[in-house]
Amino acid sequence: MYDVVHIDEKHFYMTRTTTKYYLLPNEPKPHRTCQSKRFITKIMFMAAVARPRYNEDGDVLFDGKIGIFPFIYEEEAKRSSKNREKGTMVTKLIESINKEVVKQCLLEKVIPTIKAKWPLDASGKIWIQQDNAKPHISPKDLDFLEVAKSDGFDMELICQPPNSPDLNILDLGFFRSIQSLQHKKSSKSILDLVDAVGRAYDEIDNEKLKFVWVSLHACMNEILRVGGSNSYSIPHVGKKRLDRNQLLENFVKPDMVCLERSLHALENMNDTEQPTAPATTAQLAAV
């Protein structure tokens, strides 16, 4: 799965509804204000990650972090205020994230960044996995195919199975890691929030991303064991311990017994769903 890039979107909030602080006896309590806790400022980001690559000595060749891109835009202020003069460039949120907005981000930001950061010795064949949200574009979109199959690359867009959020690295754990670091930084404006999320993304150790990929393999094995259902619990396997003992690579291998059983079940399913052959002229005449 080294040639797969996972993309997904997530809202990041400027602050939590409730926050715990540890204060000294005489230290004043932090004062936070908001018009309504139901409408805390939030920005949607699109993130893209791939599996990290290492050499034989364990040195990082590619950290797997493609980038995280906010859905924002800039425009000139239409009138003066106490905070800015008329004509000053102001950063605003893209309120409606529709198919055109997602497509623009994918074509103008995600794909060029993949091309710039992808390892030179890696294959140019790349699968970009997205979920089945309505704003996402079709894998057969002509504009996407034109950009994705240029500059020596051959990228394809694939959709993950429905109702399976654990099959996306970002939903499985990477977004939570970003959010936990982002909330440690104080944000008072849209630009502060964009900067906090970007720095949190950059600060995450590539080991975290490597372990989330191992969790993905564990979830795949569990899906095979339950026959393709999502009625399973994410296993806890002690990834750091396995990594210290150099057993992590053996763990990510699929359970061959479950794999063969699943392939056999798929073959039987395909045989059952095959359409009945059309009746011949002689059979119709007999009727």
Side-chain angles (χ1 to χ4, degrees), residues 253-270:
K253 294 180 179 179
D255 188 331
M256 298 307 298
V257 175
C258 294
L259 180 60
E260 292 178 2
R261 185 168 62 242
S262 300
L263 291 175
H264 183 67
L266 285 175
E267 291 176 358
N268 293 337
M269 187 183 302
N270 292 333

Side-chain angles (χ1 to χ4, degrees), residues 53-103:
R53 300 170 187 252
Y54 302 86
N55 60 15
E56 296 178 354
D57 298 327
D59 299 326
V60 180
L61 300 176
F62 173 56
D63 62 5
K65 293 190 287 186
I66 304 298
I68 187 165
F69 311 96
F71 288 100
I72 57 176
Y73 68 98
E74 290 186 343
E75 69 174 11
E76 293 184 356
K78 297 180 180 179
R79 59 182 63 88
S80 298
S81 68
K82 64 178 182 180
N83 298 320
R84 59 183 177 271
E85 296 292 333
K86 180 180 178 180
T88 304
M89 298 304 295
V90 181
T91 302
K92 294 189 175 182
L93 310 178
I94 300 178
E95 299 290 347
S96 177
I97 309 299
N98 53 32
K99 187 168 294 188
E100 291 301 321
V101 173
V102 173
K103 179 178 178 179

